[in-house]
Amino acid sequence: MKKLILLSLAVVLSTSCATLQKKDSKKTPPTDSSASKSKDKDAIKDYDKVITKEAITDEGLFKVHKIKDKYYYEIPNNKLEKDMLWVSRIAQIPTGLGGGYFNAGTKTNEQVVHWKRFQDKILLKVKSYASVADSTKAISNSVYVNNYEPTLYAFDIEAFSKDSTATVIDVTKFFSEDVKAISGLSSRLRSSYKVRNLDNSRSFINSMKSFPENIEVKQDMTYNASEPPSNSDTESISLQMNQSMILLPAEPMQPRLYDPRVGFFTVSQVDYGSEKLKADEKTYIRRWRLEPKDPEAYARGELVEPVKPIVYYLDPGTPENLQKYIKQGIEDWQKPFETAGFKNAIIAKDAPTKEEDPDFSPEDIRYSVVRYVASTTRNAVGPSVSDPRSGEIIESDIIWYHNHLRSYRNRYLLETGAANPSARTLDTPEEEIGEMMRQVIAHEVGHALGFPHNMAASFAYDVEDYRDGDFTQKNGIAASLMDYARYNYIAQPGDENIRFVRQMGPYDHYATNWGYRYIPGATTESEQTTLNKWILEKADDPRYRFGRQSSRFDPQSQTEGIGNDMLKASDYGLKNLKYVAKNLASWTSDQTNDYNDLEELYGELLGVYSRYVGHVTTNIGGVYETIKTPQQGGVVYTPVDKSTQQNSMQWLQSNVFDTPDWLIDTKILQNIDHAGYFEEVRNRQARVINDLLSFDTLGRLIDAETSSTNYYSAFEMLRDLRTGIWSETSGTKNVDIYRRNLQRTYLDRMAYLMTNDGPQNRFSRSGFEGTINYNVTTSDVRPLVRGELETLKRSLNSARNRSVNTVTKYHYADAIARIDDLLDGED
């Protein structure tokens, strides 16, 4: 009976469940694939219902449709999952946004994207080539799943083309929203200006144009901001952005492996498919794709035009009187390209007029432009965008800021005025200013061709060569235009036929040939033998040496320095600068009847003085870096010899720590400021003291004991510095205001060394290495500093009992008290 009841109950429950499931099926959407397809079909409209007869269509990479205030992309299916470079730039900018280095043309982001279908959506994915592997190898799957691509945006599919070969999406919202990855306002700027949000009512798509390989979109964006950089009453920031998207080549350019002995900007990848027993980091140089039109003639050694030359257009806003100099600066690179076998490889053109090309825009990624920026910033830059797969440079914009010529006029007057009569004026002759601009443009174009600064190029020539007219006219003032060697400040009054302005040098021809010469039939790997051979042929000639921008420790690779002996070069430089200082008023305020230019140039004169001093300072604790391979023999790093370092210390005592009275010209100072003269001098002295008494310099001096027998020890340097700065303590001489300030600055820095733990991380910016990381508390630093302070205290106790004035006695007593406080605090 129980079994019968249970069986009956089971039948009832089974029937009930079946009934419930049947009722629920009316409320739950189907989950099988056919049901999903049916739903997609309902959601995705017919083409004619989306792209109506009102559509204004632009053919190109994608079809771009405009219907009233809506924009649609019609993406060909064969363009899905194709790599495209997306570059975001500011097209128009409000006054003051971002400080001096933001302008119309500034790039705010560069990223590789591709469009990908997922169910009923099109995803815009950001792709990285930082990690790669051959797609035929199993590990490529691991690379893929461990480097998942972020989705920048997801678009609903609106329709398919009538022949089903393309997909239609609505991009209106994407380009009207505040999408951070393509915005002109970084997180830092948003924080600085207290940006609240994008105001959609004042933001709109300005234009959208499609070309065969790229799409260009202009957006007008207005943000609500509590503290905008200008027009503060509006509490708004309005700017126009240009979004460029260009299809990358289906076949990437053959990359060329980087060699640190020749300077190039680079792109890097970690190749997990390498046969080496580790992930293999491969670094490629960045360069334009230059291939000969006639490979046979090129192989015979004839000059051949490239298939696609590098073309730079001049900004339509470039002043008429400067245009020829900009064009010359661009085309100066034709000669180095001829060394690499190409003629007419780089060409300067005027921007087309509206009648000639109504679609021309400086922001269009198809065009490289020299942008002339109406800004008070004093600089010029040469950025570029490149294909991360191969290093191929796709496009670049040279940025020239209007006031930059003023910097060059000032430096021309200050650095060459003693030996160069035509520089002794505020109205520099136009041809000379034009020549300066030409060389600056050529320098920035060099960056855009892939070349970084080569700071060793100015160390290639002997100091005395700079006083030889024939030599300077032929060789300029550095072996490369890519050095920061702007003027010949060594030439002396009476030297004749001197070239004062930089120019292209032999290294520029050498590096262009190394990076751009086409090697027929070679692969990235097999061409290494040829490239290495070219380097070895020039390895012992300093004119072809590359020096990183590592002036933190290498005396031969210093910014703004010229000549192979910094002591002698700075001697000549200071001799000239003293002549200029005496005549500064007569060349400026006496001519203009106001003190504005005098004040500006005096401030810059102090900067020039500091640079000359800094070049000598780097000798102390300096290490020469000569980049080489084991095959070449010798070592890469060599400490500066003891004699040079000792002479450098003596030079600093004479030219910096002994008060440089020639800088304190009351005829200048009392006409440009009411007070603070002593502090101007102390600031310059403090920079040198801080450099010498840095953990970095002391660390290198200590380390030299481990690698050299002819070294200047940290103990010797500290002793020589103390005895020079505190020389008054050995006699009865009173200490004047300048020396008192200097000596207290010394004590402040010694206190820093006793209390600070030193750098915690190695400075890792490529090309700027210098900071060393070591355990300060277990090193010799603190014992050496303590010993110097105790020795100084004994000298001070003796000195204050001698016949000196009251202020000097007070000064000595204060110094003793400071030392006591410091050493007592350490006990």
Side-chain angles (χ1 to χ4, degrees), residues 16-27:
S16 299
C17 289
T19 304
L20 286 170
Q21 285 178 356
K22 190 173 183 181
K23 285 181 180 179
D24 287 345
S25 69
K26 294 179 182 180
K27 297 179 182 179

Side-chain angles (χ1 to χ4, degrees), residues 220-388:
D220 280 77
M221 315 295 276
T222 295
Y223 296 84
N224 292 308
S226 300
E227 297 181 9
S230 55
N231 299 303
S232 57
D233 290 345
T234 67
E235 292 200 1
S236 302
I237 297 174
S238 292
L239 69 158
Q240 188 178 86
M241 290 297 297
N242 190 92
Q243 308 294 343
S244 298
M245 184 185 72
I246 187 168
L247 182 67
L248 289 172
E251 184 68 32
M253 177 187 74
Q254 179 175 300
R256 180 159 289 181
L257 284 166
Y258 169 66
D259 190 307
R261 294 171 292 176
V262 185
F264 269 90
F265 293 124
T266 61
V267 296
S268 295
Q269 301 172 350
V270 176
D271 184 2
Y272 287 90
S274 169
E275 298 300 322
K276 296 183 179 180
L277 298 178
K278 65 173 184 176
D280 186 15
E281 183 172 356
K282 292 183 176 177
T283 302
Y284 305 124
I285 67 172
R286 292 179 59 187
R287 57 177 181 158
W288 296 78
R289 185 187 293 220
L290 290 186
E291 297 164 337
K293 277 184 181 178
D294 186 340
E296 289 77 17
Y298 187 90
R300 292 194 299 268
E302 299 175 25
L303 290 180
V304 174
E305 290 187 341
V307 173
K308 185 180 179 182
I310 303 163
V311 178
Y312 277 96
Y313 292 89
L314 266 63
D315 189 321
T318 305
E320 292 80 359
N321 66 315
L322 299 177
Q323 292 177 9
K324 70 175 181 179
Y325 303 114
I326 295 175
K327 290 178 180 178
Q328 288 171 341
I330 295 167
E331 295 189 347
D332 278 344
W333 282 97
Q334 287 189 355
K335 289 297 182 183
F337 277 118
E338 288 177 7
T339 303
F342 294 100
K343 66 179 179 181
N344 300 323
I346 184 166
I347 300 167
K349 290 185 177 182
D350 292 320
T353 64
K354 287 290 183 186
E355 293 72 28
E356 292 169 334
D357 185 355
D359 291 327
F360 178 85
S361 166
E363 288 78 34
D364 189 331
I365 199 167
R366 293 176 298 165
Y367 304 116
S368 294
V369 179
V370 178
R371 305 290 297 260
Y372 196 95
V373 180
S375 166
T376 57
T377 297
R378 298 186 183 184
N379 202 5
V381 293
S384 62
V385 296
S386 60
D387 184 343

Side-chain angles (χ1 to χ4, degrees), residues 445-487:
V445 170
H447 286 320
L449 296 174
F451 302 119
H453 292 133
N454 177 7
M455 293 308 186
S458 54
F459 204 77
Y461 300 154
D462 187 82
V463 168
E464 294 301 327
D465 289 337
Y466 290 87
R467 302 190 61 188
D468 183 331
D470 291 340
F471 181 91
T472 59
Q473 292 296 339
K474 179 182 177 181
N475 299 285
I477 60 174
S480 172
L481 186 69
M482 301 313 297
D483 200 321
Y484 261 2
R486 304 175 203 269
Y487 295 116

Side-chain angles (χ1 to χ4, degrees), residues 639-693:
V640 174
D641 65 276
K642 181 175 184 177
S643 175
T644 298
Q645 295 194 57
Q646 287 176 319
N647 291 337
S648 296
M649 177 60 78
Q650 292 171 7
W651 190 96
L652 293 173
Q653 295 287 358
S654 298
N655 292 285
V656 182
F657 301 139
D658 289 349
T659 306
D661 297 314
W662 62 275
L663 285 175
I664 311 160
D665 187 340
T666 54
K667 287 183 293 186
I668 294 176
L669 294 171
Q670 289 184 315
N671 285 314
I672 63 177
D673 208 341
H674 71 288
Y677 315 141
F678 64 86
E679 187 63 13
E680 289 286 8
V681 173
R682 193 202 69 84
N683 280 337
R684 271 69 202 172
Q685 295 171 327
R687 290 180 187 177
V688 180
I689 287 177
N690 291 346
D691 283 341
L692 294 175
L693 298 181

Side-chain angles (χ1 to χ4, degrees), residues 6 44 66 107-108 165 181 226 406 411 611 746 771:
L6 288 172
I44 298 172
K66 183 179 187 297
K107 178 179 66 175
T108 60
T165 61
S226 300
R406 189 175 183 89
R411 293 279 296 274
R611 277 194 291 275
Y746 167 90
T771 299

